[in-house]
């Protein structure tokens, strides 16, 4: 696939049929999800889906795999994004709209020459659910006052969070779904 734009009232789902498959990113950014569009990527009853970037340097400015610009992106169980590359948001760039990582989805080995090896959140809602993993070789970059929204029951891992500023009192994680957790635990202190 060359670059695919999903906009207006279009809703696209990508999942393997019966066997596990790998999609190789042969060109620059594969998807752009614009205002009103929706992209869902998932495994299928044990069949996994791996999205793998090319090994040479990537010239994509934002979102090596997908740019979300007003639409919604949902990545479900059985999906791994690996080795995607961009200047900002190696795998995903969230310009506006929403992005949800859920199930046992995973982002690994993706890189950004500037910020956000896994995900760059410029604006919008970035949510993690279930067992979603962003491994230690990646980071989630949060611009300005953006936060990571943690859905109730989340037990996955985000190894690295990077921020545009490290001002005391800045919140980095929204745990409002967890009524028993003190949200002050996710506010930067003077250290």
């Amino acid at each position: 696939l060359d670059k695919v734009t999903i906009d207006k009232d279009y809703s696209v789902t990508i999942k393997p049929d019966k066997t596990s498959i790998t999609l190789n990113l042969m060109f620059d950014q594969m998807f752009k999800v614009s205002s009103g569009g929706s992209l869902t990527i998932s495994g299928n009853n044990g069949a996994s889906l791996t999205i793998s970037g090319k090994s040479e340097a990537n010239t994509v400015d934002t979102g090596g795999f997908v740019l979300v610009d007003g639409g919604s992106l949902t990545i479900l169980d059985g999906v791994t994004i690996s080795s995607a590359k961009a200047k900002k948001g190696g795998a995903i760039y969230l310009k506006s709209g929403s992005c949800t990582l859920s199930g046992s989805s995973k982002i690994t080995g993706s890189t950004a020459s500037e910020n956000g090896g896994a995900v760059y959140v410029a604006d919008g809602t970035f949510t993690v659910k279930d067992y979603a993993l962003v491994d230690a070789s990646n980071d989630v970059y949060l611009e300005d006052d953006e936060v990571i929204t943690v859905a109730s029951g989340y037990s996955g891992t985000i190894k690295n969070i990077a921020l545009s500023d490290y001002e005391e009192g800045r919140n980095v994680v929204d745990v409002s779904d967890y009524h028993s957790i003190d949200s002050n635990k996710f506010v930067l202190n003077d250290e």
Side-chain angles (χ1 to χ4, degrees):
L1 294 173
D2 203 342
K3 184 190 252 186
V4 175
T5 299
I6 303 164
D7 59 8
K8 301 201 176 164
D9 295 321
Y10 293 100
S11 179
V12 175
T13 299
I14 298 172
K15 67 180 179 179
D17 186 10
K18 295 178 182 175
T19 60
S20 297
I21 62 170
T22 298
L23 291 177
N24 292 303
L25 301 176
M26 300 304 293
F27 303 99
D28 292 340
Q29 183 184 87
M30 187 177 278
F31 291 99
K32 178 179 180 183
V33 186
S34 297
S35 185
S38 171
L39 175 61
T40 301
I41 304 166
S42 73
N44 186 11
N45 294 326
S48 64
L49 175 60
T50 301
I51 293 112
S52 182
K54 55 187 179 181
S55 59
E56 64 266 21
N58 201 319
T59 58
V60 176
D61 285 331
T62 55
F65 170 56
V66 63
L67 164 64
V68 181
D69 187 5
S72 73
L73 170 66
T74 304
I75 300 175
L76 300 171
D77 202 28
V79 176
T80 299
I81 301 173
S82 171
S83 305
K85 296 177 176 69
K87 290 179 183 174
K88 294 180 180 179
I92 300 165
Y93 186 90
L94 179 57
K95 183 175 181 180
S96 63
S98 67
C99 174
T100 302
L101 299 180
S102 65
S104 61
S105 60
K106 178 169 49 172
I107 300 177
T108 180
S110 295
T111 57
S113 58
E114 292 182 20
N115 293 303
V119 180
Y120 188 111
V121 182
D123 192 16
T125 304
F126 176 63
T127 304
V128 290
K129 298 170 69 173
D130 307 318
Y131 307 101
L133 167 71
V134 178
D135 79 5
S137 66
N138 290 252
D139 69 304
V140 174
Y141 181 82
L142 304 173
E143 248 187 42
D144 302 324
D145 294 326
E146 297 304 313
V147 296
I148 298 171
T149 300
V150 177
S152 182
Y154 179 65
S155 60
T157 303
I158 298 174
K159 294 285 188 176
N160 297 304
I161 300 171
L163 308 172
S164 60
D165 63 75
Y166 289 85
E167 185 176 318
E168 182 179 352
R170 177 179 174 170
N171 185 14
V172 295
V173 176
D174 174 8
V175 291
S176 58
D177 272 3
Y178 287 95
H179 303 294
S180 62
I181 296 178
D182 179 5
S183 61
N184 289 327
K185 291 183 177 187
F186 302 98
V187 174
L188 297 180
N189 61 32
D190 62 354
E191 296 173 6

